[in-house]
Amino acid sequence: MERSYWGDKTEVMSDDKQTTPPLLGAQPDDMFPALTPEQQARVAAHGRVRQVEARQTVVEANSEPNKFFSVVTGQLNIIKVTENREEVVGVCRPGMFTGEMNVLSGRRGLVTIRTAEASELIEIDREALLALVQTDTELSDIFLRAFILRRMELIARGISDLVLIGSTHSLDTLRIKEFLTRNYQPYSYIDLERAADVQELLDRFKVGIADLPVLICRGKLVLRNPTNLEITACLGFNEAIDQTHVRDMIVVGAGPAGLAAAVYGASEGLDVLVLESNAPGGQAGTSSKIENYLGFPTGISGLELAGRAYTQAQKFGAQVLIAENAKGLVCDRRPYAIKIDNGEQVTARTIIIATGVQYRRLDLENLSRFEGAGVYYGATHLEAQLCNDEEVLVVGGGNSAGQAAVFLAQTARRVYMLVRGNGLADTMSRYLIRRIEESPTIQLRTNSEVISLEGNDHLEQVQWRDNKTGSIETINVGALFSMIGAVPNSSWLDGCVARDALGFIKTGSDLSPEDLDRAQWPLNREPHLLETSLPGVFAVGDVRGGNLKRVASAVGEGSIVASFVHQVLSE
Ligand SMILES: Cc1cc2nc3c(=O)[nH]c(=O)nc-3n(C[C@H](O)[C@H](O)[C@H](O)COP(=O)(O)OP(=O)(O)OC[C@H]3O[C@@H](n4cnc5c(N)ncnc54)[C@H](O)[C@@H]3O)c2cc1C
């Protein structure tokens, strides 16, 4: 009997279920399909055929994915390498091919690939593969599907040399977990509160308690409470930036709006760079289930939607840099430049601002003490795990609060929902209101606002006041989900583009003659739809004044902005 392409399941230290972008109806053969001789010939036309002796390494773990192989005769073994041990976790037989999502993203690989016997291989460079997936739709479908499924399998098996040691009471532990999960990075997690033998591991790496959380990267490098940028550097997420290169378009922000702009821009032949300060997907990436986005009648998780869009943008050749924060726009000359970390700048003829919004924080003196230790701004499975079968509180009356309450009600014992207004009708979609009304687990409190938080190293108690009756209620809860509206991420643009009183960016016909005078608008034409007061600089999605805060409108605006970019580039 044939053994499975992937070896037997390996032990994973993690007790976290990492959400991955599942593809419906996936079969093992989708993950390791065999190309027909005719399909292989099309691949070979972009590379060369090599005879390779037995036991030769063709891809080293932790190296950049420069090469892609398809087996003509013989066999390739896919090997997980840990400190002292090698384990064959998969095999490629004749017709099959190597690679997973990292081939598209350019990130360093997780496995070593070696010939099991003397083999004939088709070898092609990564650049040639990227060109092939853009022109050959049949091969593109086969490769993309296999690449995504393989990454999911690597995540599910915890095939990674990343170990996170942290605590459920630490905001930075949650930050790193979210960052790795939302960037589809497998890792193992050791919780200090639950693992008795952690001290030995810490001693081995000379790590003190004050250094936590600690990320052991590549089995060797010990990162003490690393920033997201330090993690990306260790994992080799980002390709080097050529600062002299002037792009057609830089997209700032890889939420739905930015990813849509990248997909349409790159697919229409523009040279596109995307800068994302955290992880692809933006706010939508933190949504447990988006049910009102066209084409997904049973809903789709934000992580899955983001994963698909991210892969799509890379397939068309957009370069996406993760954990790269746009710190300022140099707007007094063209081409424009964006200041990023380490004093570097990237330049482009047009800029798409897709930086979205971030949550407002509750106005409570000791709030920061409990952020990550009971106060959360997203309700994904990571946070839900922390309050299984407990009482929780959701603050806010918008759709994101409604979604969070409905999601948490599946696992929490009781969900209190606190809104300042009289009810939900003015702020929430009808389908969510109905679910909240029908849920026996959710208790709605209107006209109410949080007045105090109590606890030691973790949130234990919350007090709120009913502003109508003046009565005060106190409950023992370990988790408060704060979803009370948002402020635009536009402060990095200070002085460059016209904004409204709340900081949202004005575009198109929303720009008054005074705005344009103040900005010294230099052209005879009016600003295009979505164009800011600075020619060639556009704003799309939630950060734009007048935008409807929805995934569909963000995607719609991102999708059409490329057509205006073409017009500006031809001016
Ligand atoms: C929990 C939740 C559930 C939701 N559910 C739904 C739903 O069911 N249906 C629906 O239609 N809408 C929903 N929404 C709203 C929807 O997610 C947003 O309208 C949509 O994500 C906006 O997309 P965007 O790309 O404009 O901005 P965002 O999603 O906010 O993305 C902006 C991106 O820019 C990045 N960024 C910010 N500043 C910088 C910088 N200086 N440099 C580089 N990068 C930067 C951020 O990290 C982020 O990734 C939900 C929102 C939340 C929070």
Side-chain angles (χ1 to χ4, degrees):
M1 192 178 148
E2 286 272 282
R3 67 177 286 238
S4 66
Y5 305 115
W6 292 102
D8 293 336
K9 247 189 180 318
T10 51
E11 265 306 296
V12 185
M13 266 190 278
S14 167
D15 56 3
D16 278 353
K17 182 176 160 292
Q18 295 177 39
T19 309
T20 54
L23 288 192
L24 299 173
Q27 301 294 325
D29 283 352
D30 294 330
M31 203 181 335
F32 279 92
L35 301 178
T36 63
E38 193 269 324
Q39 288 167 334
Q40 270 199 324
R42 291 198 328 253
V43 178
H46 292 261
R48 57 211 150 265
V49 176
R50 270 179 63 184
Q51 308 296 329
V52 184
E53 305 276 289
R55 288 179 295 284
Q56 296 297 307
T57 297
V58 292
V59 174
E60 288 278 7
N62 198 17
S63 65
E64 283 172 12
N66 297 327
K67 303 274 185 238
F68 165 92
F69 297 91
S70 179
V71 180
V72 183
T73 61
Q75 180 174 312
L76 286 173
N77 283 344
I78 300 167
I79 301 162
K80 175 188 175 186
V81 185
T82 43
E83 226 173 319
N84 303 314
R85 211 161 65 96
E86 291 195 346
E87 180 189 357
V88 176
V89 292
V91 292
C92 280
R93 299 198 182 87
M96 297 177 189
F97 51 87
T98 61
E100 48 101 10
M101 260 166 72
N102 74 313
V103 174
L104 294 180
S105 63
R107 293 180 188 176
R108 286 181 222 148
L110 297 166
V111 291
T112 288
I113 302 176
R114 193 175 294 149
T115 47
E117 56 194 73
S119 304
E120 184 172 300
L121 306 176
I122 297 167
E123 174 187 288
I124 76 170
D125 295 338
R126 175 171 171 252
E127 294 308 316
L129 180 75
L130 293 179
L132 181 64
V133 294
Q134 284 177 39
T135 49
D136 191 321
T137 47
E138 187 191 28
L139 287 176
S140 169
D141 284 354
I142 296 170
F143 292 157
L144 282 184
R145 193 173 178 86
F147 289 174
I148 294 174
L149 289 172
R150 289 174 187 178
R151 169 59 53 147
M152 287 161 45
E153 188 67 17
L154 291 170
I155 292 174
R157 285 163 172 268
I159 295 183
S160 165
D161 42 13
L162 267 186
V163 181
L164 177 66
I165 304 170
S167 154
T168 39
H169 301 307
S170 138
L171 181 58
D172 283 311
T173 302
L174 187 61
R175 168 182 60 81
I176 295 174
K177 277 178 159 192
E178 279 180 353
F179 182 73
L180 294 173
T181 304
R182 291 190 51 204
N183 280 292
Y184 310 102
Q185 198 60 41
Y187 67 94
S188 305
Y189 175 62
I190 300 176
D191 194 314
L192 266 184
E193 276 83 35
R194 283 192 272 163
D197 51 354
V198 173
Q199 196 57 50
E200 188 198 314
L201 192 85
L202 293 182
D203 291 346
R204 193 167 139 211
F205 289 97
K206 300 193 173 39
V207 175
I209 293 289
D211 296 320
L212 293 171
V214 158
L215 187 68
I216 301 173
C217 190
R218 304 289 175 218
K220 290 190 178 69
L221 197 59
V222 179
L223 302 175
R224 291 160 165 83
N225 195 8
T227 62
N228 292 350
L229 194 59
E230 285 167 336
I231 299 173
T232 44
C234 170
L235 296 175
F237 274 12
N238 295 336
E239 293 174 71
I241 309 173
D242 177 359
Q243 290 190 66
T244 59
H245 182 69
V246 180
R247 316 259 172 174
D248 294 328
M249 173 170 151
I250 291 179
V251 182
V252 187
L259 287 173
V263 166
Y264 280 85
S267 69
E268 290 168 17
L270 297 175
D271 177 4
V272 179
L273 173 70
V274 183
L275 303 174
E276 166 53 54
S277 59
N278 188 15
Q283 298 164 72
T286 68
S287 169
S288 48
K289 202 172 194 187
I290 298 166
E291 295 196 57
N292 55 0
Y293 186 53
L294 190 73
F296 295 92
T298 54
I300 180 166
S301 82
L303 203 61
E304 183 179 351
L305 187 66
R308 285 165 181 250
Y310 179 43
T311 309
Q312 204 174 5
Q314 288 176 323
K315 170 189 138 172
F316 286 120
Q319 187 186 3
V320 186
L321 299 182
I322 298 298
E324 277 298 355
N325 202 20
K327 295 196 157 156
L329 177 64
V330 180
C331 55
D332 55 359
R333 60 176 162 78
R334 292 180 81 169
Y336 299 117
I338 290 182
K339 297 180 201 162
I340 53 174
D341 288 293
N342 304 326
E344 289 183 310
Q345 293 193 352
V346 280
T347 45
R349 286 179 271 276
T350 64
I351 307 286
I352 313 296
I353 304 162
T355 43
V357 297
Q358 57 184 304
Y359 287 121
R360 274 208 184 89
R361 299 170 74 236
L362 287 164
D363 187 15
L364 296 166
E365 208 187 332
N366 58 354
L367 178 72
S368 57
R369 231 177 83 201
F370 298 112
E371 284 176 318
V375 173
Y376 307 107
Y377 296 93
T380 67
H381 75 280
L382 283 177
E383 291 84 9
Q385 272 178 357
L386 303 174
C387 47
N388 211 1
D389 204 28
E390 290 184 13
E391 299 203 336
V392 304
L393 177 65
V394 174
V395 186
N399 276 350
S400 47
Q403 252 181 32
V406 170
F407 173 64
L408 292 165
Q410 295 169 19
T411 47
R413 191 154 22 97
R414 172 165 300 139
V415 179
Y416 292 98
M417 194 169 184
L418 219 65
V419 294
R420 281 216 296 207
N422 265 329
L424 300 172
D426 294 341
T427 49
M428 196 180 286
S429 297
R430 187 63 223 154
Y431 81 95
L432 281 170
I433 298 178
R434 203 172 315 123
R435 285 205 197 146
I436 289 167
E437 286 168 352
E438 284 167 5
S439 168
T441 312
I442 304 176
Q443 289 200 9
L444 179 66
R445 299 283 201 275
T446 54
N447 303 299
S448 299
E449 93 184 85
V450 178
I451 53 172
S452 81
L453 308 175
E454 298 296 334
N456 290 314
D457 57 349
H458 197 277
L459 181 69
E460 288 166 20
Q461 203 174 68
V462 178
Q463 249 186 4
W464 68 75
R465 183 178 50 230
D466 183 323
N467 288 332
K468 224 169 173 181
T469 62
S471 65
I472 290 177
E473 198 169 340
T474 306
I475 53 160
N476 295 329
V477 283
L480 181 157
F481 293 84
S482 174
M483 293 171 170
I484 53 167
V487 284
N489 290 317
S490 65
S491 57
W492 63 283
L493 291 155
D494 261 356
C496 282
V497 296
R499 291 178 290 168
D500 67 18
L502 296 173
F504 290 94
I505 300 173
K506 289 181 158 188
T507 55
S509 57
D510 285 348
L511 287 159
S512 65
E514 296 75 43
D515 289 327
L516 295 179
D517 280 349
R518 252 195 310 271
Q520 299 176 347
W521 177 258
L523 305 177
N524 288 330
R525 66 164 176 83
E526 304 278 288
H528 292 296
L529 185 76
L530 308 178
E531 195 171 23
T532 68
S533 56
L534 200 57
V537 176
F538 297 85
V540 290
D542 279 13
V543 74
R544 195 181 71 80
N547 161 278
L548 264 181
K549 310 295 178 235
R550 293 277 185 279
V551 175
S553 42
V555 170
E557 291 179 10
S559 309
I560 60 172
V561 77
S563 67
F564 301 116
V565 167
H566 284 295
Q567 292 179 41
V568 168
L569 291 178
S570 63
E571 269 173 1

